[in-house]
Amino acid sequence: MLGAALIVAGLPILLDSFARFALQGPGTPTPVMPPKRLVATGLYRYVRNPMYIAGTAMIAGQGLLFGSVTVLAYGAIVWAGFFLFVVAYEEPALGEQLGDEFKRYRANVRRWFPRITPWRG
């Protein structure tokens, strides 16, 4: 049940995140064509990386649903890759691209653990 819940919860979060990048950024969540503006609406008001959290939750959900330790291990590797990418590349690049706006956002919205109330920066 938990596995199915993680998959069902993760998919709309991923779709919402992609839509926000395309419509409000405008851009994509990839380094090739990053958004031109800070996207700090929707779930991004609560946590800086809902897309990575949702993707990892969906992989973990599949591992639980199918009882696969291999898929769960894969999810842990993907999570580690997301973490390293965010810390080593994404945040420094966004800091350079978006300047003080991103610094304020980063100071008020946590990377992985959601706020209780939405940031209204």
Side-chain angles (χ1 to χ4, degrees), residues 29-111:
T30 66
V32 177
M33 194 177 145
K36 294 175 179 61
R37 292 186 299 274
L38 178 67
V39 176
T41 60
L43 291 174
Y44 289 94
R45 296 176 302 159
Y46 295 91
V47 65
R48 291 199 311 257
N49 298 296
M51 190 179 315
Y52 297 138
I53 294 167
T56 304
M58 290 178 69
I59 295 169
Q62 292 171 50
L64 292 172
L65 185 65
F66 299 116
S68 173
V69 175
T70 303
V71 174
L72 290 172
Y74 170 71
I77 292 167
V78 168
W79 176 259
F82 286 157
F83 183 87
L84 292 172
F85 176 75
V86 165
V87 171
Y89 173 76
E90 188 173 73
E91 288 181 352
L94 288 172
E96 286 181 27
Q97 178 189 350
L98 302 172
D100 290 338
E101 183 181 25
F102 181 71
K103 289 176 186 166
R104 271 192 314 280
Y105 177 67
R106 188 176 60 204
N108 288 283
V109 179
R110 292 181 292 233
R111 185 184 289 142

Side-chain angles (χ1 to χ4, degrees), residues 1-20:
M1 294 294 273
L2 177 59
L6 288 171
I7 295 167
V8 169
L11 184 59
I13 293 170
L14 279 176
L15 295 176
D16 178 75
S17 297
F18 281 120
R20 286 183 190 283

